[in-house]
Structure formats: C-alpha cells, structure tokens
Amino acid sequence: MIKITPAIFVKTQSLLLAFVLILACSTSVNAQRNISLNDGWTFKKEHGTSEKITLPHTWNAFDVLDDEPGYYRGLGIYTRLLKLDDSFKGKEIALVFNGVAQEAEVLVNGQSAGKHIGSYTRFIVPITKFLNYKNDLIEVRANNRFNEDIPPLTADFTFFGGIYRNVSLLVTEAVHFSTGDHASSGVYISTPDVSAAKAIVHVRSLIDNASLSARKIQIQTRIFNTEGKEIASQLSDVKFASKENKVVVQDFKSISQPKLWSPEKPYLYRVISKIIDAKTKAVLDEVSNPLGFRWFKFDAEKGFFLNDKPVKIIGASRHQDYEGLGNAVPDALQVRDVELLKEMGGNFLRVAHYPQDPMVLEACDRLGILASVEIPVVNTITETEAFTSNCLNMQTEMIRQNFNHPSIVIWAYMNEILLRPKFANDKPRQQVYYENIRQLAQKLDDLTRKEDPLRYTMLVNHGAWDVYNKVGLTKIPMIVGWNLYSGWYSGVPADFAKFLDRHHKELPNVPFLVTEYGADADPRIRSFEPVRFDKSVEYGLKFHQTYLNAMLERPFVGGGMAWNLADFNSETREETMPHINNKGLLTIGRQPKDTYSLYQAYLSEKPFLKITSAQWKQRSGVADSASLISSQNIQVATNQASAELFLNGKSLGIKNAVDHICSWTVAFVDGKNQLSVVSGALNDHADINFQLQPYKFSDPIPFKDMNILLGSKRYFIAEKEQELWMPDQPYRTNSWGWIGGEPYKGTNNRILYGSDKNILETDNDPIYQTQRVGIKQFKLDVPDGEYELTLHFAELVGGDTKEALAYNLDNNHKKEVVEQRIFDVEINGESFMSKLNLAADFGYTKAVKKKVRLTVANKKGISIDFTSIEGKPVLNALQLRKIY
C-alpha cells in the first residue's frame, strides 16, 4: 500500500502593471517576492515586424485554424525593459518562466543568461550578474521548430509557440530556499505514514547561501489547519559556510487524528517554511505549501482505494488550449476547467499529454480531484542520447516541480509509443527500435521510482495488445494505461468490454486504467440514425453509455478518463470541424454537450435531471403524413429511475431511464414548443423553435425555406448563419427530393457516407462533405411564386494526397481514383451551368455556391436536371427560400 500526502508551494506575489517596472524596497525588505512581468513586452517573428503584447502569448492562435496546411514553427523574439533601483543590489534576482515553447534562450543586456528545452515545465534563470540596475533589456528567444531530439515529435495536438504562461521576477536574499533544483520550490513535503489516527510529515528543505560570508540561520516549519490554528512546528539551527548549499530535514512524527483529504472532503493544511537570520531574527525567505493527509493503493483485482475506501476513478483528460486563444490561456479559465470537471461529478484529471499550468493542479488540490501527470513522449522516439537525456530531464522537472501536490497519485511518461512504429519495412531494424523504446521506458520508470517512491508509475498504450506485450511495455510500469476506441477508430463498441476482460485474464496482477476513450461529437451535427464516424452528438452519447457501463460493472477496472474534457486544436486534422478534435465533453469554448450531461447523470451524488436535447434549440423537420406535426426524439439525462415529459403543458407519459437516459417521441408543431420534464421535486425546461416543412406542398403548412444535405443522414446547424440543414429524401409527388444516384462514400471503411476531407473556403464543411453521385434530377413541387435557389457543390475526389491519421487504426483506404467529371445543370429547362467541371473550374475540395432567382408559374414547380457529359454529376446541398 502506498501512503503519501505531498503539497504545493506558493510564493508571495504582487502585481505591478507598468511597462517599465520600478521596484522599491521600502517594505518587507527581507521577504521573498515573486512579481508579475506579464506586461510591457514586444514581440516579433524572425524577420517580422514588432508588436506590443501582453503575456501569456502564442503566435499560433489563428494560423492553426486556416485552410493553409501547417503553421508557423520557428523563432519568436520577445523583449522587455526592466528598471530596478539600487536597493536591489546585493539580492539574488531571477526570471521565472512557467512555460515557453519549446526551446528558449534568455538574454540580459545582450548576454546569454540561460537556456531551456521543453514546452511544458517551469524554468528559472538567475540574472543578477547581468544587471546594470538602470535600464536592463530582457530578451527571450523562443522557438517551436521541429527538433528530433525534443519530445513531442508527433501528436494529435498542436505544438503552439510562444511565452504562453506567466512570467515573474523572483527577488530573494542571499540565503534562500533553492531555486536551482529543476525550478522546484526548494521544499519537498511527504507523508510516509498516514492513518485516521496519526500521520508523519517529512519536510526536506534545500537552502542556498549565495553570499561570501558564513551565516547562522534558523529553519522554521509550521503546520496550520484550515481554520488557521497551528498544529505543529519545528525550529532548526543551521550554520552555513560562504557559498554553501545544504539540505535540512525535519520530521513531524506525531500528527494525531489528521483530517483526511478526499474528493468528497479535500481538507488542506498549510505548511509555512521560513529562513530566519539567527542574530537579527529577520525573515530571509518564506514559502507556503498546502498539505493533504491521505493514502491510496491500486489493486489488480479490486481497483483503486483511497483512505482504505474503494473509489471508482471516473474523470477526463485535458488539453490546455482554448477557443480563440491557442494555449495562451488566462488563469481564471485554467481553474474553470477543473471546476467544470468537478461539476460533472468527475474525481480524476489526467493531465495530458504534458505538465500544465500550475493553476490546474492547485485547483485539483483545492477541489478534491485526483490526478496523473505525464511528459510528452508521444507516438514515437528518436534513438539518440540527446533525446533520452531530454526525456529524463523533463521527467525530473515534472516530478520535482509538482512533488508537493496532494492530488497527484500517478507519474506517467509515455503515450501510445508504438502507434507509429518506424522501420516497418525492415523488421530486424524495427526490433532494435522496439528495444530502444523499452530501454527508455525502463530508464524513465527507474528514475520516477527513485525520485518519488511513494507514488505509482504509469505507461499508456493504445489498444494493440500483442505488440505492447511482446515489446515488454506492460511489464515495466506499476499501472498500465490503455487508450481504447473500439467502435470509433476500429471495431465495434462491444469490443471494449472484451478488451477489459482480456487484460484481467492475461495480466491478472497488473492494475490498469482506461486512460482514453471517446468519439467525436461535433456540437453542430445531430442525427436520428447515428452511426460510427458520422460525428453526431447522438452517436457520442451511445458510445459513452457503453463504455461507462462496462467500466462500472467491473471492480478490477481502476477507472477511466474520457478523452477529452473539452475539444482541442489539432492542426493536422480535417473532418467536419477542421483542425479541431471534437471528442470533448465540452466544446473548445467550454459549452457543455449532451455527453457532459450524461456524465452528470452517471456521477452526480445530488439528484440530477436535464433535457440534453435542449441544446438543439432550432429544429426543422418534414411533417408526418397528412398531419401538422413532425415527430422527433427528445432525450433527458437523469440519475432518477424515471421522468415525465410535458409538451406545451400536456403529458407525454412517464419513461423509465435506461442507462441514465429517458427518451420520448415528441410531436412538434410549427413555431414555439415548450418542453418540461419532471421527476419528483426535480424539473427542467426548454423552448424548441420548430420549423415545420410540409409533407406535401398542398398541405396547409406555409413554406418559408429549406436547407437540404444531399447523401446525408444527419442534421447540421450552421451557427453563424443560424441555418438548420436537413437530410435529403427521395422525390415524392407534390413534395420534393432527389431522383437517381447514390450517396457519396469515400475510400476508407470507417465512414458509411460522405467524406472527412477539409473543405476549403468555408467553415461549414458538413454542407459539402456529403453529396449525391450520379444524380439525375432534383424536384421541388412548390406553389407558384418568387424563389431564391442556391446549389452547393464540391469535388470530393482528388486533390493533394495527405498522410492518414495514425489514430484511425483501420485505415484500409482504397486507392482514390480520379475521373473526369463534366456535366450540365438546367433549371426548369433552361441552362444554369454548362459543362461544369468542378475540379478544373474551382479546384478540389473547394466550396462552390451558385445562386439564382426564379419565378415559378403555371404550377410547374422547380426541376433541376443534371446531364452527364463525362463522369457522374453530383450535388452536395440545396437551399430554397420563398421570397413572396
């Protein structure tokens, strides 16, 4: 059993918001100060023009979203003036960077003061000897270029560049807690023995004497409870020679009846550490750390235990970027993500795939969220000493900087490292590569156990069971993590439970976690016939139900982390929302999806009831035959046994919850529809604005407009335009629909219809990603009047061949055969587009929109005819609007 309660450090902070920093030492002369330097910077790309900016900052906030493949990966130069008065002479001054991507060099007055490798960990640069204390120039040269010796090399996320986390000035006396130990706090706190009756606290302090004289000091450590009452203290006398560094150890062996830290009650103590001058009693330095008492273990048969109580881990992973900001995210939004996880009912955060802002783990400590943290060794490695050294250094930095967080229970170090194995055509050489991966994993695991013997180690694999076992990666860590996507990237959802049982059978003594699982849910796409890879919210909901049930039913499964808490940027992705991975339970702007409400229903301890379908507020549909209603499904997420739904005050009956979802078929009328759901004292409400489309144009339903997706079974919400797009239908007399052709199906077997290519010059890719191939005619038997007709086209076959995403495990692509496609389009017998050649006229995967105004008379309606000259005609989408 592992028993530990570490803590985090917080240094005293103050903010100065002037372009030129002027510091005075009139108060708290002897106290350590950590002063914000986020303001007053200028930035330019190499050979670019300068602009004034405020930190945090990234130069990739927008170029990762455009249609141009790739984004700026190179040098960025930041400069700032720093003015310090003479009172700072004799003190130790350093710059603290919480994150610079990914190579950084810091210059002071033109002289190199320090360098750092890696995007995701803090580093501290001493600058005292470079200062003139008048008008000092700070320059930071950041570079996010590809470097084969620096992980990550490839990944399903974007490698943003910039000084994208907070920067501060650290001012200390000559004697201070060490700032040179991999940018740690200089104080390490652990609890090697904890029970409900008593606990031991071990405090290890690293002290530096930077002065030329010998010093006599006292190390004072005091522990306070949440109410501010001191419960223990120690005072140690220490002598220092000039320029001497020492380690001071203090043990508190009699903390009786500690209040325990847990997700339900995350009770935090504070540990205040001071360095005091033995003669003058002046405080030379001070740091503060939270402290939480708890113990934990992972059991291969029974799962996870916290404070001797079984706890099923259910939570999510998190990427750090945010809509419109890239990875330069303000503190408040970092904290809000953890709050959203807590509000969801989650108890675990996988900090993936790299250490994140200090605010995140501080929030986990405070809110009671267990956590794992890992370094960004993703997909592949480079077999060099430099790569290995950088990995080991990143692991050391991660552990030492975050050692004092009670929320952390796991250190991890690899993710899906065999996903993209090199040397596929040279098997002997590939075996050497595999052995080098295994050796690196062993070195990282050994290092981690030495650095922190009281936490667990974890290596995360994708679902290729045989290869990970064969290479030996399931035998090195204390916990195996599995990223499983049965029913998404490969297989069917039912395969997930089989995989869990296989691990338990073949590795019965190895605890494991499901470290990733999920399905893309584009919040703009809905479907009443959800299928794999249609990107609909409804398929995502079914997927998560299957996975949650399988994990909760099996006590040997330690737990699972949904991938991902929120949608995130992945520049190389295309699909329905290019450059965005849509597997989040929240959107990239942190709006909840139906899946987020599902987790609340599964996990909330309080009664919960939510109309999940209410997020689809603007609806449209064809009226049921010979009626003035359109029947569509409504879902409610709840942790109650049943619920009753009302439409415009009329009960639609009581439904029992199945896997925390109640479903009703609702007869919507044209216009406003008021929904309310009740379960005991719980209730929820939603207003649905429904546009009823006539079953026949002769029905007494006024026709306004319609937006039709050809070859599609999904609905699409164009948010900016406030348009709802519907699936097509075959033509019916007195109605509308297609004649001839078949839905487009691409060259991979994941997608049952449509394409996942990026459509250029539009943000509404789903309008153009489906089409009807070989269409002969589209008819709309509309009444006489004035109309606006818009036809949408895109050539989906051809264009630049791009590397398939490695994550799509069944990428059995057929070779795409490009054929000439030329056709005529006539509307009501008159030529509209002659010899249309989409590829030659507009380019591949390019959104083409053609609009015309029509007068319909003599009850002829609208007939759009497609005549082949060469190849098969296509139509992707159609809009019709009645003017009068």
Side-chain angles (χ1 to χ4, degrees):
M1 180 178 293
I2 288 190
K3 298 185 177 183
I4 183 170
T5 307
I8 65 171
F9 84 97
V10 177
K11 294 179 184 280
T12 307
Q13 297 188 14
S14 64
L15 298 176
L16 297 179
L17 301 177
F19 176 71
V20 178
L21 182 68
I22 302 175
L23 302 175
C25 294
S26 58
T27 59
S28 302
V29 175
N30 295 321
Q32 184 180 45
R33 286 167 298 167
N34 200 342
I35 304 162
S36 173
L37 288 185
N38 283 345
D39 62 316
W41 292 87
T42 62
F43 165 76
K44 68 174 183 178
K45 295 178 183 177
E46 187 175 21
H47 310 305
T49 57
S50 295
E51 59 178 313
K52 294 181 179 180
I53 60 99
T54 300
L55 303 180
H57 173 265
T58 177
W59 57 72
N60 295 125
F62 302 107
D63 66 350
V64 295
L65 294 169
D66 60 30
D67 281 336
E68 187 70 25
Y71 53 103
Y72 182 73
R73 297 192 66 180
L75 179 64
I77 302 170
Y78 296 84
T79 56
R80 189 195 197 282
L81 289 176
L82 180 67
K83 285 194 174 183
L84 305 174
D85 62 32
D86 288 344
S87 63
F88 280 86
K89 292 181 178 179
K91 300 185 185 297
E92 295 299 307
I93 300 173
L95 295 169
V96 181
F97 297 89
N98 281 306
V100 180
Q102 68 174 348
E103 300 171 74
E105 182 178 16
V106 180
L107 297 91
V108 180
N109 297 323
Q111 299 182 71
S112 181
K115 296 180 179 180
H116 183 259
I117 288 176
S119 298
Y120 307 108
T121 44
R122 181 170 56 248
F123 62 98
I124 299 175
V125 179
I127 63 172
T128 309
K129 65 181 180 180
F130 302 102
L131 297 172
N132 60 34
Y133 299 95
K134 294 179 181 178
N135 195 20
D136 294 295
L137 179 64
I138 308 299
E139 179 180 322
V140 181
R141 300 174 69 85
N143 203 319
N144 67 334
R145 68 187 176 117
F146 174 80
N147 186 327
E148 66 177 7
D149 289 327
I150 303 176
L153 301 175
T154 72
D156 187 19
F157 57 92
T158 299
F159 305 154
F160 296 93
I163 306 179
Y164 71 96
R165 292 183 188 159
N166 296 326
V167 175
S168 58
L169 189 74
L170 179 63
V171 183
T172 67
E173 299 296 326
V175 182
H176 56 271
F177 291 106
S178 177
T179 59
D181 187 28
H182 294 82
S184 72
S185 70
V187 176
Y188 297 91
I189 301 172
S190 61
T191 55
D193 188 37
V194 180
S195 70
K198 64 178 182 177
I200 294 174
V201 180
H202 180 81
V203 182
R204 182 172 172 265
S205 301
L206 282 60
I207 316 296
D208 293 346
N209 176 19
S211 71
L212 296 174
S213 60
R215 301 291 296 268
K216 292 181 180 179
I217 64 160
Q218 295 176 316
I219 306 300
Q220 182 190 69
T221 302
R222 305 167 75 191
I223 303 176
F224 296 86
N225 64 17
T226 296
E227 292 73 32
K229 180 182 179 182
E230 181 181 299
I231 64 165
S233 66
Q234 279 194 36
L235 190 68
S236 302
D237 295 313
V238 185
K239 294 181 180 180
F240 280 86
S242 66
K243 295 289 184 178
E244 184 180 15
N245 304 326
K246 281 190 176 181
V247 177
V248 178
V249 175
Q250 296 171 312
D251 285 315
F252 297 80
K253 297 184 177 181
S254 58
I255 307 297
S256 61
Q257 295 182 322
K259 292 187 177 180
L260 302 181
W261 184 98
S262 68
E264 296 76 24
K265 295 181 179 180
Y267 193 94
L268 288 176
Y269 293 78
R270 285 184 302 140
V271 178
I272 307 297
S273 302
K274 293 183 180 181
I275 301 175
I276 302 172
D277 186 282
K279 183 177 181 180
T280 67
K281 303 304 179 183
V283 176
L284 304 178
D285 201 0
E286 176 178 332
V287 295
S288 175
N289 297 280
L291 168 68
F293 292 105
R294 83 286 186 275
W295 69 97
F296 57 89
K297 72 171 182 178
F298 286 90
D299 184 275
E301 186 66 32
K302 298 180 181 179
F304 177 71
F305 289 80
L306 180 67
N307 304 331
D308 279 343
K309 297 179 180 178
V311 175
K312 180 69 77 171
I313 287 173
I314 299 291
S317 299
R318 175 188 186 264
H319 270 298
Q320 64 186 1
D321 60 298
Y322 197 97
E323 185 175 34
L325 299 172
N327 61 348
V329 180
D331 295 346
L333 295 181
Q334 308 268 10
V335 173
R336 182 57 184 152
D337 274 3
V338 185
E339 293 173 344
L340 285 165
L341 178 62
K342 185 74 174 181
E343 292 169 15
M344 187 186 84
N347 59 16
F348 197 97
L349 177 65
R350 180 188 176 206
V351 181
H353 292 300
Y354 40 79
Q356 296 178 14
D357 192 280
M359 293 283 179
V360 172
L361 288 172
E362 290 173 6
C364 288
D365 295 336
R366 187 171 59 253
L367 296 174
I369 300 292
L370 297 156
S372 66
V373 193
E374 61 200 59
I375 60 170
V377 185
V378 183
N379 291 359
T380 186
I381 72 165
T382 303
E383 299 164 282
T384 63
E385 290 184 12
F387 185 87
T388 297
S389 177
N390 285 330
C391 291
L392 294 170
N393 187 64
M394 287 179 182
Q395 190 79 355
T396 303
E397 287 183 333
M398 176 183 71
I399 295 170
R400 295 191 187 182
Q401 291 173 20
N402 298 291
F403 187 87
N404 295 334
H405 285 287
S407 54
I408 297 176
V409 295
I410 299 169
W411 302 115
Y413 49 80
M414 277 184 179
N415 181 78
E416 299 185 352
I417 203 64
L418 303 181
L419 182 66
R420 306 186 71 173
K422 298 178 180 178
F423 312 110
N425 297 322
D426 186 347
K427 294 303 180 182
R429 178 66 181 87
Q430 189 175 68
Q431 293 306 310
V432 175
Y433 175 69
Y434 285 160
E435 176 58 22
N436 286 328
I437 288 175
R438 193 198 65 76
Q439 290 181 14
L440 177 58
Q442 190 66 64
K443 288 178 181 178
L444 287 166
D445 200 85
D446 292 345
L447 169 70
T448 305
R449 297 193 196 206
K450 181 179 179 181
E451 286 285 328
D452 187 355
L454 298 175
R455 285 188 175 98
Y456 283 81
T457 64
M458 182 170 71
L459 189 156
V460 175
N461 311 318
H462 75 283
W465 176 275
D466 293 330
V467 66
Y468 283 99
N469 273 315
K470 186 176 181 180
V471 174
L473 297 184
T474 57
K475 301 174 179 62
I476 294 172
M478 301 166 74
I479 305 169
V480 171
W482 291 109
N483 296 346
L484 302 175
Y485 292 93
S486 301
W488 190 249
Y489 290 129
S490 63
V492 296
D495 295 335
F496 173 67
K498 297 175 183 177
F499 191 102
L500 303 181
D501 294 337
R502 181 180 184 183
H503 177 107
H504 186 53
K505 179 181 179 180
E506 297 187 26
L507 294 173
N509 299 316
V510 180
F512 75 97
L513 293 169
V514 182
T515 37
E516 288 182 25
Y517 61 93
D520 286 57
D522 185 329
R524 306 167 303 167
I525 293 178
R526 317 290 304 212
S527 178
F528 298 124
E529 301 178 57
V531 294
R532 177 187 175 211
F533 250 87
D534 66 1
K535 311 300 280 295
S536 70
V537 172
E538 284 72 19
Y539 185 84
L541 198 74
K542 291 172 59 179
F543 183 98
H544 281 274
Q545 285 176 303
T546 299
Y547 274 59
L548 282 167
N549 291 341
M551 292 186 292
L552 293 172
E553 291 166 358
R554 290 165 170 78
F556 58 81
V557 178
M561 296 128 230
W563 187 262
N564 196 276
L565 178 64
D567 293 348
F568 58 92
N569 189 271
S570 181
E571 197 273 345
T572 57
R573 279 185 174 263
E574 298 192 345
E575 303 173 331
T576 60
M577 191 181 289
H579 317 302
I580 302 296
N581 187 315
N582 283 128
K583 293 184 186 65
L585 306 177
L586 305 162
T587 70
I588 195 169
R590 276 44 175 191
Q591 295 302 308
K593 302 180 189 178
D594 294 16
T595 43
Y596 181 83
S597 298
L598 178 73
Y599 275 76
Q600 290 179 300
Y602 268 87
L603 303 177
S604 294
E605 294 183 356
K606 297 179 180 178
F608 179 80
L609 185 71
K610 178 69 176 178
I611 303 174
T612 59
S613 302
Q615 298 185 67
W616 184 6
K617 297 181 182 298
Q618 303 292 332
R619 293 195 178 207
S620 183
V622 177
D624 299 346
S625 178
S627 69
L628 299 178
I629 61 170
S630 179
S631 299
Q632 292 188 0
N633 190 50
I634 285 290
Q635 293 183 316
V636 169
T638 184
N639 55 10
Q640 305 301 291
S642 61
E644 185 175 10
L645 186 71
F646 294 83
L647 173 65
N648 299 323
K650 181 181 179 180
S651 175
L652 302 184
I654 297 173
K655 297 283 186 167
N656 294 327
V658 179
D659 297 334
H660 295 278
I661 292 290
C662 299
S663 297
W664 289 263
T665 299
V666 175
F668 288 102
V669 298
D670 193 49
K672 187 176 180 179
N673 293 258
Q674 294 181 313
L675 292 174
S676 62
V677 64
V678 176
S679 182
L682 298 176
N683 62 81
D684 190 33
H685 306 272
D687 289 337
I688 305 296
N689 293 315
F690 200 96
Q691 183 177 349
L692 192 63
Q693 301 290 354
Y695 183 80
K696 294 182 179 180
F697 287 113
S698 57
D699 292 341
I701 298 172
F703 173 75
K704 302 173 186 176
D705 56 53
M706 62 170 52
N707 309 300
I708 306 299
L709 300 175
L710 275 292
S712 176
K713 294 183 180 181
R714 62 193 186 192
Y715 292 77
F716 172 67
I717 305 164
E719 296 170 327
K720 291 180 181 178
E721 296 82 357
Q722 298 187 27
E723 294 173 345
L724 178 67
W725 293 75
M726 301 164 44
D728 63 359
Q729 66 179 26
Y731 172 71
R732 292 194 312 267
T733 303
N734 295 324
S735 183
W736 58 270
W738 50 264
I739 297 172
E742 59 186 7
Y744 172 83
K745 187 180 186 306
T747 56
N748 70 65
N749 63 1
R750 289 192 325 279
I751 304 173
L752 297 183
Y753 60 86
S755 169
D756 59 358
K757 291 182 178 180
N758 179 17
I759 309 300
L760 307 179
E761 300 185 6
T762 182
D763 291 329
N764 295 326
D765 294 62
I767 294 174
Y768 300 93
Q769 288 174 324
T770 61
Q771 64 183 198
R772 195 147 195 93
V773 181
I775 186 170
K776 296 184 181 303
Q777 192 177 50
F778 198 100
K779 294 191 67 176
L780 303 109
D781 295 341
V782 293
D784 292 352
E786 203 74 12
Y787 294 87
E788 181 184 81
L789 174 68
T790 307
L791 304 182
H792 297 262
F793 303 91
E795 180 54 74
L796 300 179
V797 181
D800 295 335
T801 301
K802 299 178 181 178
E803 181 182 9
L805 289 176
Y807 317 99
N808 296 329
L809 301 180
D810 59 358
N811 257 329
N812 300 320
H813 277 269
K814 301 175 184 177
K815 186 177 180 180
E816 193 171 59
V817 179
V818 179
E819 297 179 350
Q820 188 75 276
R821 189 194 310 280
I822 305 173
F823 58 97
D824 292 336
V825 181
E826 292 183 348
I827 301 175
N828 287 347
E830 296 184 8
S831 177
F832 177 58
M833 301 179 75
S834 179
K835 298 182 180 179
L836 176 59
N837 186 327
L838 292 170
D841 297 343
F842 303 100
Y844 295 102
T845 61
K846 184 79 67 71
V848 179
K849 180 178 179 180
K850 295 297 178 180
K851 186 183 298 184
V852 64
R853 183 166 173 149
L854 301 173
T855 299
V856 177
N858 302 319
K859 299 182 180 181
K860 289 186 176 180
I862 300 172
S863 294
I864 310 164
D865 292 284
F866 302 85
T867 304
S868 171
I869 297 173
E870 190 171 351
K872 296 180 179 180
V874 296
L875 178 63
N876 296 65
L878 175 149
Q879 292 175 281
L880 184 66
R881 180 172 66 89
K882 187 171 184 179
I883 301 171
Y884 54 81

